[in-house]
Amino acid sequence: MTTAAAGGADEAPSADTGSRGGTSVPAPRKPGDGQPPLRRVPSRKSVTGTRKVIAALFLLPALVLLGALVVYPIVYSVYRSFFDQSGTGFAGLDNYKALFSDDTIRTAIKNNAIWVVLAPTVSTVLGLIFAVLTERIRWGTAFKLIVFMPMAISMLAAGIIFRLVYDQAPERGIANAVAVGVHDTFSGSTGFPKAHPLPVHPLKAADGGSFVTKAPVRAGEPVQLPLVGVAPAKMPGDAKPARTPAKADGGQITGTAWLDFTKGGGGKPNVIDPSELGLKGIKVEAVKGGEVVASATAAADGTFTLPAAADGAELRLPASNFREPYNGVDWLGPSLVTPGIIGSYVWMWAGFAMVLIAAGLAGLPRELLEAARVDGANEWQVFRRITVPMLAPVLAVVLVTLMINVLKVFDLVFIIAPGSSQDDANVLALQLYRSSFGTDADLGIGSAIAVLLLLLVVPVMLFNIRRIRKEGRR
């Protein structure tokens, strides 16, 4: 009986529980029933455990600054772009129409397109080549340091450096010093660019800048070819005093080409005076019927000898003797100023591209590269089919970063391009400065250019955000 009663008591439902479909369900808690009270659910926290309200309070100063320094200027620039120069009259879309009708601004847009295509691409390609090649040499770290070092230089300093590098004078500009050195190695410069005969000389001007004798020459009669117009200091250093050559045998033609000028005066025209120097290296041609039958080069004392075929011919000093010496390339001229400035940009930013790509290269799985080599792929195939595809995310980061950077380029163009070529090198950021703060400032045009720059940057930024989200989902 006691056991049965106990069993019945065990099977009876408790006062604190309810039965629903044979399943025991706890009864609702009531105040004062001896059970602990329900805990209040705390406010949601971020991943780091910081409450959102506290996080918002800490972010509030940054958000205020962002709104004041970024959002408000953007909104006001858009607003101001619809007004005229004074800011009082509504101009509608006239300022935006001016962007594509004004020749100066169209040149800036064209140059910006060249910048966006060339500068990031060349910098990235060079960075990729440097990163891959420096992996295979012992002194790769030192090379990377040297290539990356220009990044430590400000745009202002880089502009000053390359303004000197591109100087037209070879004695100052290293680019033209190299160009002149290479040119003169294969094609020597002439020494007499300003030389010319006097009216009393036996020479007269001919076509193309050359000079010919007034009468045909004869064997046995030494020919005199005097010139003036060459500064004594510009004469060849090894030139010797001019002399009259001896009569040649066998019908040959002999003569002397010399500078018919005596320092301090006192010399006579068409007469070789003791202090007058020979025109060493000047070329002499014998011409019959419009064809060159013989030629010779004057010695250090100005003397020359032509074969018997020159008898009865006119002697000609060709125009090549009088061309201006090669002074290099006009790097900062209208046609080359933009590529020249892009070259200075690449010099600065190729190191940046190289460092990022080298970091990505260091993370590539080496077993894939080795497996490709074992399967018979050569180095070019490994580079093109494995290395470059696997580095695609890094290359995209470098390209996008540099594209955004070049859309805002201002310093290099402003400093390197001389005043005569600044319109040809113009870019949108420079034109924005000139339109907004120049002598004839038009804030409506300046604001429209700023909005255009923003619209050009937005697609690149959206691409970058999309790529970052895509990488985050992997």
Side-chain angles (χ1 to χ4, degrees):
M1 297 252 336
T2 305
T3 303
D10 291 337
E11 293 176 1
S14 171
D16 293 333
T17 60
S19 177
R20 190 176 296 172
T23 304
S24 296
V25 180
R29 295 177 180 176
K30 297 178 181 180
D33 60 359
Q35 296 185 9
L38 295 174
R39 293 183 178 180
R40 183 175 296 175
V41 178
S43 60
R44 296 181 64 184
K45 296 182 178 181
S46 66
V47 176
T48 60
T50 306
R51 293 183 180 181
K52 291 190 173 181
V53 175
I54 297 176
L57 289 175
F58 276 100
L59 288 174
L60 185 60
L63 293 174
V64 171
L65 288 175
L66 186 67
L69 300 179
V70 177
V71 178
Y72 171 74
I74 291 175
V75 174
Y76 183 76
S77 295
V78 174
Y79 168 80
R80 184 65 179 83
S81 67
F82 292 105
F83 287 82
D84 59 11
Q85 183 175 4
S86 63
T88 56
F90 184 74
L93 297 176
D94 291 346
N95 291 327
Y96 291 95
K97 292 178 182 176
L99 299 184
F100 301 97
S101 59
D102 185 271
D103 291 338
T104 302
I105 301 178
R106 283 195 299 178
T107 300
I109 295 174
K110 181 193 73 174
N111 287 338
N112 258 100
I114 295 173
W115 271 88
V116 170
V117 172
L118 284 183
T121 303
V122 175
S123 299
T124 304
V125 170
L126 284 178
L128 176 61
I129 293 172
F130 291 159
V132 171
L133 294 182
T134 50
E135 268 201 333
R136 302 173 178 271
I137 56 178
R138 290 185 179 180
W139 40 274
T141 303
F143 180 83
K144 290 178 182 177
L145 178 64
I146 294 172
V147 175
F148 187 75
M149 197 176 296
M151 282 293 299
I153 302 174
S154 67
M155 287 281 196
L156 173 64
I160 294 172
I161 290 171
F162 273 86
R163 182 66 181 267
L164 295 174
V165 167
Y166 291 138
D167 196 290
Q168 181 68 33
E171 60 271 17
R172 291 195 301 270
I174 187 172
N176 272 331
V178 173
V180 170
V182 173
H183 176 274
D184 289 352
T185 299
F186 298 98
S187 177
S189 298
T190 60
F192 317 106
K194 306 283 187 183
H196 62 276
L198 291 175
V200 296
H201 285 165
L203 290 167
K204 63 181 180 180
D207 295 336
S210 62
F211 301 102
V212 298
T213 54
K214 295 177 180 178
V217 296
R218 297 298 175 187
E221 299 177 2
V223 182
Q224 294 182 335
L225 302 178
L227 294 173
V228 294
V230 182
K234 297 292 185 180
M235 290 291 289
D238 54 351
K240 296 180 180 179
R243 68 179 181 84
T244 302
K247 292 183 180 180
D249 298 329
Q252 293 179 327
I253 302 294
T254 59
T256 305
W258 82 99
L259 179 63
D260 194 11
F261 174 78
T262 301
K263 276 180 140 182
K268 296 181 180 179
N270 296 330
V271 176
I272 300 176
D273 297 305
S275 62
E276 294 175 349
L277 299 176
L279 297 174
K280 180 190 175 183
I282 198 168
K283 188 176 181 181
V284 182
E285 295 176 341
V287 180
K288 285 183 179 180
E291 294 184 359
V292 177
V293 295
S295 64
T297 301
D301 57 4
T303 58
F304 60 89
T305 303
L306 292 167
D311 188 18
E314 292 180 337
L315 296 192
R316 180 174 66 187
L317 300 178
S320 59
N321 292 312
F322 312 108
R323 289 198 188 106
E324 291 286 342
Y326 182 70
N327 290 318
V329 181
D330 188 8
W331 298 104
L332 299 181
S335 58
L336 291 178
V337 62
T338 294
I341 300 174
I342 290 176
S344 66
Y345 179 90
V346 171
W347 175 77
M348 289 192 67
W349 287 88
F352 167 81
M354 178 194 65
V355 169
L356 289 188
I357 296 171
L361 198 60
L364 294 183
R366 299 296 166 178
E367 58 271 14
L368 291 180
L369 304 179
E370 294 302 327
R373 294 186 181 102
V374 169
D375 288 341
N378 56 38
E379 291 301 321
W380 169 247
Q381 291 172 327
V382 171
F383 173 76
R384 184 167 60 92
R385 297 183 178 275
I386 299 178
T387 303
V388 172
M390 294 186 71
L391 284 175
V394 179
L395 297 177
V397 170
V398 175
L399 271 174
V400 170
T401 303
L402 294 181
M403 286 175 68
I404 296 173
N405 189 270
V406 299
L407 283 172
K408 304 178 294 180
V409 68
F410 165 80
D411 327 52
L412 288 176
V413 180
F414 184 73
I415 296 168
I416 295 177
S420 59
S421 300
Q422 202 165 84
D423 285 343
D424 299 287
N426 199 15
V427 290
L428 284 173
L430 177 59
Q431 185 59 39
L432 170 61
Y433 169 79
R434 295 166 69 178
S435 296
S436 301
F437 307 106
T439 54
D440 190 21
D442 187 339
L443 291 180
I445 296 290
S447 299
I449 295 174
V451 173
L452 177 61
L453 272 174
L454 176 65
L455 294 177
L456 292 175
V457 171
V458 165
V460 184
M461 292 297 298
L462 292 177
F463 171 79
N464 204 22
I465 293 171
R466 182 180 178 185
R467 182 194 57 76
I468 292 173
R469 288 178 176 175
K470 188 175 180 181
E471 290 292 323
R473 289 196 296 266
R474 290 183 178 178

